[in-house]
Coordinates of all heavy atoms in Angstrom, one line a residue:
N489 N 52.5 6.2 29.0 CA 51.9 7.3 28.1 C 51.8 6.8 26.7 O 52.0 7.6 25.8 CB 52.6 8.6 28.2 CG 51.8 9.7 27.6 OD1 50.6 9.8 27.8 ND2 52.5 10.6 26.9
S490 N 51.4 5.6 26.5 CA 51.2 5.1 25.1 C 49.8 4.5 24.9 O 49.2 4.1 25.9 CB 52.3 4.0 24.8 OG 53.6 4.6 24.6
K491 N 49.4 4.5 23.7 CA 48.1 4.0 23.3 C 48.3 3.1 22.1 O 49.1 3.4 21.2 CB 47.2 5.2 23.0 CG 45.7 4.8 22.8 CD 44.9 6.0 22.4 CE 44.8 7.0 23.5 NZ 43.7 6.5 24.5
A492 N 47.6 2.0 22.0 CA 47.7 1.1 20.9 C 46.3 0.7 20.3 O 45.4 0.5 21.1 CB 48.4 -0.2 21.3
V493 N 46.3 0.7 19.0 CA 45.1 0.2 18.3 C 45.5 -0.9 17.4 O 46.5 -0.9 16.7 CB 44.5 1.4 17.5 CG1 43.3 0.9 16.7 CG2 44.1 2.6 18.3
I494 N 44.7 -2.0 17.5 CA 45.0 -3.2 16.7 C 43.8 -3.5 15.8 O 42.7 -3.6 16.2 CB 45.2 -4.4 17.7 CG1 46.4 -4.2 18.6 CG2 45.4 -5.7 16.9 CD1 46.6 -5.2 19.7
T495 N 44.1 -3.6 14.5 CA 43.0 -3.7 13.5 C 43.2 -5.0 12.7 O 44.4 -5.4 12.5 CB 43.0 -2.5 12.6 OG1 44.2 -2.5 11.7 CG2 42.9 -1.2 13.3
G496 N 42.1 -5.6 12.3 CA 42.2 -6.8 11.4 C 40.9 -7.3 11.0 O 39.8 -6.9 11.5
D497 N 41.0 -8.1 10.0 CA 39.8 -8.7 9.4 C 39.9 -10.2 9.5 O 40.7 -10.8 8.7 CB 39.7 -8.3 7.9 CG 38.5 -8.9 7.2 OD1 37.7 -9.7 7.8 OD2 38.3 -8.7 6.0
I498 N 39.2 -10.9 10.4 CA 39.4 -12.3 10.6 C 38.8 -13.2 9.5 O 38.9 -14.4 9.5 CB 38.8 -12.7 11.9 CG1 37.3 -12.4 12.0 CG2 39.5 -12.1 13.1 CD1 36.6 -12.9 13.3
T499 N 38.2 -12.6 8.5 CA 37.8 -13.3 7.3 C 38.8 -13.4 6.2 O 38.6 -14.0 5.2 CB 36.5 -12.7 6.7 OG1 36.7 -11.5 6.1 CG2 35.4 -12.6 7.7
Q500 N 40.0 -12.7 6.4 CA 41.0 -12.7 5.5 C 42.4 -13.0 6.1 O 43.3 -12.2 6.1 CB 41.1 -11.3 4.8 CG 39.9 -10.9 4.0 CD 40.1 -9.8 3.1 OE1 41.1 -9.6 2.4 NE2 39.1 -8.9 3.0
I501 N 42.4 -14.2 6.6 CA 43.7 -14.7 7.3 C 44.5 -15.4 6.3 O 44.1 -16.3 5.6 CB 43.3 -15.6 8.5 CG1 42.5 -14.9 9.5 CG2 44.6 -16.2 9.1 CD1 41.9 -15.8 10.6
D502 N 45.8 -15.0 6.2 CA 46.8 -15.5 5.2 C 47.8 -16.4 5.9 O 48.8 -16.7 5.2 CB 47.4 -14.3 4.5 CG 46.4 -13.5 3.7 OD1 45.6 -14.1 3.0 OD2 46.4 -12.3 3.9
L503 N 47.6 -16.7 7.1 CA 48.6 -17.6 7.8 C 48.5 -19.0 7.3 O 47.4 -19.4 6.8 CB 48.3 -17.6 9.3 CG 48.6 -16.4 10.1 CD1 48.0 -16.5 11.5 CD2 50.1 -16.1 10.1
P504 N 49.5 -19.8 7.4 CA 49.4 -21.3 7.0 C 48.3 -21.9 7.8 O 48.0 -21.5 9.0 CB 50.8 -21.8 7.4 CG 51.7 -20.7 7.4 CD 50.9 -19.5 7.8
D505 N 47.7 -22.9 7.3 CA 46.5 -23.6 7.9 C 46.8 -24.0 9.3 O 45.9 -24.1 10.2 CB 46.1 -24.8 7.1 CG 45.5 -24.3 5.7 OD1 45.1 -23.1 5.7 OD2 45.4 -25.1 4.8

Side-chain angles (χ1 to χ4, degrees):
N489 191 41
S490 288
K491 189 182 290 284
V493 179
I494 298 171
T495 68
D497 177 1
I498 59 174
T499 69
Q500 297 194 42
I501 297 172
D502 301 309
L503 292 169
D505 292 340

